[in-house]
Amino acid sequence: MEKVIIFDTTLRDGEQSAGAALNIDEKLEIAGQLEKLKVDVIEAGFPIASPGDLKAVRRISQEVRGPTICALAYAQPKAVDAAWEAVKQARHPRIHVFLSSSEVHMAHQLRKNRSQILKLSRDMVARAKGYLEDVEFSPMDATRTDPVFLYKIIEAAIQAGATTINIPDTVGYTIPREFCALLDGIFKNVPNINEAVVSVHCHNDLGLAAANSLAALDCGARQIECTINGIGERAGNASLEEIVMALRTRKDLFNYRTDIDTTQIHKASRLVSDITGMYVQPNKAIVGVNAFRHESGIHQDGVLKERTTYEIMDPRDVGLTGSTLTLGKLSGRHAFKVRLQELGYALTDEELSRAFAAFKELADKKREITDRDLEALVAEELRTVSETYHLEQVQVSCGDHSVPTASVRLVGPDGTAIADAALGAGPVDAIYKAINRLVGVPNELIEFSVKSVTEGIDAIGEVTIRIQSGGKIYTGRGAATDIIVASAKAYMNALNRLLAAMEKA
Ligand code: KIV
Ligand code: ZN
């Protein structure tokens, strides 16, 4: 079986999803999980885009030693130099240079002609090659590019030293048949194409990203660029879990393998969803909550008699434990630690103590604590560390005959407690107004959603919100058995991200 290189761009294209901006610690945590998943390449960021992104890529390069660490650069010297600055300490560094090649992009966005584009591609690949061996080049919007010009630009990039040529379907426009014909044309018409690995990068605007990526394998591609949960610009990128599980489940048809440890898929999906605040739709292939649920009597009957009657994949292969074991208020620290280890969490003693204290608090409110509760709890506890303002207390009074009133106490950056109160249209509005009076950063709430982590009246409620400030969107997440408290935590989480971004800027 031939190996397919899995190039994960969750931290770069995935981060381009509206509202999914990540801080350095969050990027590092996701990169650690991608390493456990055994992806071959992590595209860790776009260093020229912001000093924060450069720092994040540098930290990942220093600390994540298994996969190749790649940095994206547009075709300008300062972008290539920033990419090198960010990845030069990686064990296996890569620079990915991109430049648009379609008429519409060249004429309207870049305002450059073909010969200028050709020269820039050649020069910037050569500049990257001056720094390192592993250079990837993408003619952006390749699927809407004149194929004859595409052949020329690819040939020039390989001559200048590109070792991977990526063919992006930037706007998710192509269909499998057409994409294959384009790749066939490239293999036939680019004389030096065998000196590079051909990669594909498909967007999902027509829902065809995974299908186009898989079709490309039979037409010579050997690297697929994809993201966890398919997140990414607009409708997203090809989703890693769909591609990997399609190759594995239909190995009778695909003669390709990946090195992915599929048992890490579920954990990676949860982590990315928790950190970015981008929910996975329930019916999402492989990682949606319904992906392995059977509702109709006939299906349930079949699965009970023989799992494969209605299941083409074993849920354990994607890391679903199927465990019905629950913990409760009598469970001790040891049982708690062991269960977390089984779920793949390796906590330090200090983190474990914090998480255990939160577990005991939760166990007082909720009779049975499931794996899903534990995942929410660990996420909540471990990700509240880099805060400018900490929510210490929140109290509301509301009802159908009273004006919703909230009082809030925060601990500020200098460690002093500050408090205020406000009235609002509802309890959440009142809390947000009180918090805003204390923090004093203009922002607009543009999205608010609440869902329960598990079934039952005592379930943990997870609140995800998005706020907008200075043209940028920030996501916040909070979880608690009390959804009012979860709402306050989510708002603080979003505000702390906004404050961190302001500080960076
Ligand atoms: O979609 C795209 O074309 C990209 C490039 C930078 C590869 O993300
Ligand atoms: Zn893209």
Side-chain angles (χ1 to χ4, degrees), residues 9 12-13 16 43 72 96 98 136 138-141 166 168-171 201 203 225 233-234 237:
T9 182
R12 198 280 297 168
D13 216 326
Q16 283 174 226
E43 187 163 54
L72 184 69
H96 176 186
F98 74 97
E136 172 166 333
S138 289
M140 185 146 111
D141 206 14
N166 181 43
D169 182 26
T170 303
V171 289
H201 174 111
H203 278 269
E225 302 199 352
E233 192 74 72
R234 303 181 312 281
N237 289 65

Side-chain angles (χ1 to χ4, degrees), residues 72-120:
L72 184 69
Y74 51 67
Q76 286 296 331
K78 61 178 184 206
V80 175
D81 298 349
W84 170 240
E85 203 40 51
V87 294
K88 67 181 177 197
Q89 293 173 55
R91 183 172 285 160
H92 311 287
R94 175 182 293 189
I95 295 178
H96 176 186
V97 179
F98 74 97
L99 184 59
S100 288
S101 53
S102 63
E103 283 306 324
V104 62
H105 281 209
M106 288 190 297
H108 299 288
Q109 195 179 11
L110 303 177
R111 304 214 167 90
K112 290 199 188 321
N113 62 33
R114 288 185 178 199
S115 61
Q116 289 170 306
I117 294 289
L118 208 55
K119 179 169 170 6
L120 251 185

